[in-house]
Amino acid sequence: MRDLSKDRSLLAINSATVKPWTLEQLVEGCVRAGITAIAPWRDIVQAHGVEKAGNLIRAAGLTVSCYCRAGLFPAADDAGRRAALDDNRRAVDEAAAIGARSLVLIAGGLPKGSKDLAGAHRQVRDGIAALLPYARENGVPLAIEPLHPMYAADRACVNTLAHANDLCDQLGDGSCKDLGLAVDAYHVWWDPDLPAQIARAGSRILTYHVCDWLVPTRDLLLDRGMPGDGVIDLRSIRAMVEGAGYDGLIDVEIFSAENWWKREPSEVLRICLERHQTVV
Amino acid sequence: MRDLSKDRSLLAINSATVKPWTLEQLVEGCVRAGITAIAPWRDIVQAHGVEKAGNLIRAAGLTVSCYCRAGLFPAADDAGRRAALDDNRRAVDEAAAIGARSLVLIAGGLPKGSKDLAGAHRQVRDGIAALLPYARENGVPLAIEPLHPMYAADRACVNTLAHANDLCDQLGDGSCKDLGLAVDAYHVWWDPDLPAQIARAGSRILTYHVCDWLVPTRDLLLDRGMPGDGVIDLRSIRAMVEGAGYDGLIDVEIFSAENWWKREPSEVLRICLERHQTVV
């Protein structure tokens, strides 16, 4: 297991963690803090301009651990599915332009008015299959991120690593360079099948994210914790992930409307780094 | 699949659905509405007095589909585990006294301050093993209810039917009369493994509960929906459950602090019956 205690080079800051910042502020903030990698969401990249964003990031010497996020495949009709595919191709273009090591995909939930979960699962599979050739052409690996089951209805109907591994089995070319997984401890920590599915994933793990599960959790989406403030045994999960062969960056991604998003982002960065070195 | 459209005899009202009511009010309300089964929680039974509660229910001719709830096994120390076992034995006594067809068990979460999920899983297994002989002696089948994964930390670390089926394999006597499952559509609807695990459960299914998943869900615990108001395909899940051989009652259990608990309970009963006959 890697020793993070004196090493900041494996830390990547997800832009959702410092929500108030623009891409420019994120880049400058990380450089100031000696942090060398970021994981930007599409909103701040698009707001800066995609080409300019790539230049800014390269000029600062930062690595882009992954690009967040695309996917959201199920739709009520063909027009909706075409629109989703078009948007996913734009996300591939953007990921390539900023040099992201992978593009994170979340499945999407049930189309409005639908209760057909199995149908949504099929739409996700078909959507990834349709996107894959374009992602391969552009050299952007796709990382399927299973989200916590509490998001099955409205955000992502792929909620376990077993399901995501199945999709990789069905659709990937076997190299793990076209299609793999994003493992976020927050979404998968509860799963009794976690050790087996991480071992099964092996080199499919393209990116690893951390935050913490707070008790109590006051909001389904926006009450995630700083690593160390909750109940997730992050050290054990990282041991599994690295045991499976993962040697990449560790993204801190925290949605926290009432706490971390209200604090001074540079201070948030300082605490992320401290926790990265002590509890992750 | 059974036709519920003109049949109220398969409906059981869980006392949590009509939270403002005492046991006496629940019994009278059900009799008035022509509803013949209830699933009481321990609080209202204990408040009425256990022996008196049994007499009241029997005098009204009501069936007790299940008794809610016991379990909550993991504890920080031996004294905590002994206290949990003692309380579980009392719950078995109470279930026997009111003639409940099963006693529902939820696993319990992580002990305070613990991040040891695998250890909590072991404590649940050991706790059920310790309780089982007493439940067998008293003729009370235990029904393990996997709760939604969002409760893994603080309520129940058994979150999938696969895990609950595994526990039955390990601990039950094979008859399904000592140890089985409580399937609540709210907790398991999202699981891609649901059809396989319900088929695997077969005659282990001791009680079946329904409510609905609302979009958006505003609270992790107390924002559950009336059947038909959310996204769960209840008809399909009932088809799976009955396909596995279940021929028992269907409990409506709705935690809803801001909606159903504020309405007139007799009106809630009327709507439960209507939905039972049309969407469950």
Side-chain angles (χ1 to χ4, degrees):
Chain A
M1 203 170 159
R2 299 176 294 180
D3 178 7
L4 307 181
S5 67
K6 293 181 191 71
D7 185 356
R8 61 185 70 197
S9 72
L10 292 174
L11 171 62
I13 297 293
N14 189 292
S15 66
T17 304
V18 284
K19 183 87 174 171
W21 269 355
T22 63
L23 180 67
E24 202 157 14
Q25 289 173 310
L26 174 65
V27 167
E28 287 169 2
C30 285
V31 168
R32 253 195 327 270
I35 292 167
T36 53
I38 59 173
W41 277 58
R42 295 180 71 188
D43 55 349
I44 63 168
V45 168
Q46 290 170 348
H48 193 81
V50 176
E51 199 177 337
K52 273 181 61 190
N55 294 336
L56 175 70
I57 293 166
R58 277 186 293 274
L62 295 180
T63 301
V64 179
S65 65
C66 64
Y67 189 46
C68 298
R69 61 179 169 44
L72 301 162
F73 296 102
D77 55 24
D78 283 342
R81 282 182 283 275
R82 271 196 304 274
L85 184 57
D86 287 346
D87 188 59
N88 275 303
R89 286 181 174 145
R90 280 192 296 275
V92 167
D93 295 340
E94 294 163 18
I98 64 167
R101 292 188 177 178
S102 64
L103 170 62
V104 172
L105 301 183
I106 68 167
L110 295 165
K112 201 171 167 58
S114 167
K115 301 186 181 194
D116 182 7
L117 184 62
H121 291 161
R122 284 191 296 273
Q123 290 200 45
V124 172
R125 185 200 57 204
D126 294 347
I128 295 172
L131 180 61
L132 253 179
Y134 190 79
R136 286 180 185 130
E137 278 167 34
N138 287 276
V140 174
L142 303 178
I144 305 170
E145 181 177 16
L147 296 197
H148 193 283
M150 67 187 169
Y151 305 122
D154 52 356
R155 279 191 170 72
C157 63
V158 173
N159 307 103
T160 59
L161 279 172
H163 190 168
N165 266 320
D166 288 347
L167 288 166
C168 291
D169 279 347
Q170 291 163 27
L171 302 173
D173 67 8
S175 72
C176 310
K177 286 176 186 156
D178 60 337
L179 183 64
L181 304 177
V183 176
D184 185 322
Y186 186 81
H187 296 301
V188 300
W189 73 275
W190 60 273
D191 187 351
D193 207 20
L194 189 63
Q197 293 298 330
I198 286 179
R200 175 184 167 199
S203 54
R204 272 180 190 157
I205 302 173
L206 300 178
T207 179
Y208 177 56
H209 296 191
V210 292
C211 69
D212 217 332
W213 183 279
L214 300 176
V215 177
T217 290
R218 298 180 193 282
D219 185 272
L220 273 78
L221 185 62
L222 302 179
D223 191 25
R224 302 185 188 175
M226 178 65 67
D229 288 351
V231 301
I232 304 177
D233 186 354
L234 290 166
R235 197 58 67 90
S236 292
I237 297 179
R238 182 163 69 86
M240 294 178 206
V241 167
E242 295 185 4
Y246 184 73
D247 62 0
L249 296 158
I250 299 158
D251 289 15
V252 181
E253 182 184 42
I254 308 170
F255 293 12
S256 171
E258 298 302 319
N259 185 358
W260 299 103
W261 289 357
K262 290 185 171 171
R263 302 214 196 177
E264 212 290 297
S266 290
E267 175 67 2
V268 176
L269 239 57
R270 189 189 63 73
I271 298 170
C272 285
L273 178 58
E274 176 199 309
R275 300 297 174 89
H276 173 80
Q277 296 181 325
T278 54
V279 302
V280 171
Chain B
M1 204 172 158
R2 298 177 294 180
D3 178 8
L4 306 182
S5 67
K6 292 181 191 72
D7 185 356
R8 62 184 70 196
S9 73
L10 292 174
L11 171 63
I13 297 294
N14 190 292
S15 68
T17 304
V18 284
K19 183 86 173 170
W21 270 355
T22 63
L23 180 67
E24 202 157 14
Q25 289 172 310
L26 173 65
V27 167
E28 288 169 1
C30 285
V31 169
R32 255 197 325 271
I35 292 166
T36 53
I38 59 172
W41 276 58
R42 295 181 71 188
D43 56 349
I44 62 167
V45 168
Q46 290 170 348
H48 193 81
V50 175
E51 199 178 336
K52 273 182 62 191
N55 293 336
L56 175 70
I57 293 166
R58 276 186 294 274
L62 296 178
T63 301
V64 178
S65 66
C66 64
Y67 189 46
C68 298
R69 60 176 169 48
L72 302 161
F73 296 101
D77 55 25
D78 282 340
R81 282 182 283 275
R82 269 196 306 273
L85 183 57
D86 287 346
D87 188 59
N88 276 302
R89 287 181 174 145
R90 279 192 297 274
V92 167
D93 295 339
E94 293 163 18
I98 64 167
R101 292 188 178 177
S102 65
L103 171 62
V104 172
L105 301 182
I106 68 167
L110 296 164
K112 201 170 168 58
S114 168
K115 301 186 180 194
D116 181 8
L117 185 61
H121 291 161
R122 284 191 296 273
Q123 290 200 46
V124 172
R125 184 200 57 204
D126 294 348
I128 296 173
L131 180 61
L132 252 179
Y134 191 77
R136 285 181 187 129
E137 278 167 35
N138 287 277
V140 174
L142 302 178
I144 305 169
E145 181 177 16
L147 296 197
H148 193 283
M150 67 186 169
Y151 305 121
D154 53 356
R155 279 189 172 70
C157 63
V158 173
N159 307 103
T160 60
L161 279 172
H163 191 169
N165 266 320
D166 288 347
L167 288 166
C168 290
D169 279 348
Q170 291 163 27
L171 303 174
D173 67 8
S175 71
C176 308
K177 285 174 186 158
D178 61 337
L179 183 63
L181 305 176
V183 177
D184 185 323
Y186 186 82
H187 295 301
V188 300
W189 73 274
W190 60 271
D191 186 350
D193 207 19
L194 189 63
Q197 292 299 329
I198 286 179
R200 175 183 168 201
S203 55
R204 270 179 191 158
I205 302 173
L206 301 178
T207 179
Y208 177 55
H209 296 191
V210 292
C211 69
D212 217 333
W213 182 279
L214 300 176
V215 177
T217 290
R218 299 181 194 282
D219 185 271
L220 273 77
L221 185 63
L222 302 179
D223 192 27
R224 302 184 189 176
M226 178 65 68
D229 289 350
V231 301
I232 304 178
D233 186 353
L234 290 167
R235 198 58 67 89
S236 293
I237 297 178
R238 183 163 69 86
M240 294 176 206
V241 167
E242 296 184 3
Y246 184 73
D247 62 359
L249 296 158
I250 299 158
D251 289 15
V252 181
E253 183 185 41
I254 308 169
F255 293 11
S256 171
E258 298 302 318
N259 185 359
W260 298 103
W261 289 356
K262 289 186 170 170
R263 302 214 196 176
E264 211 290 298
S266 289
E267 174 68 3
V268 175
L269 239 57
R270 190 189 63 72
I271 298 170
C272 285
L273 178 57
E274 177 200 309
R275 300 298 175 86
H276 173 78
Q277 297 182 324
T278 54
V279 303
V280 170

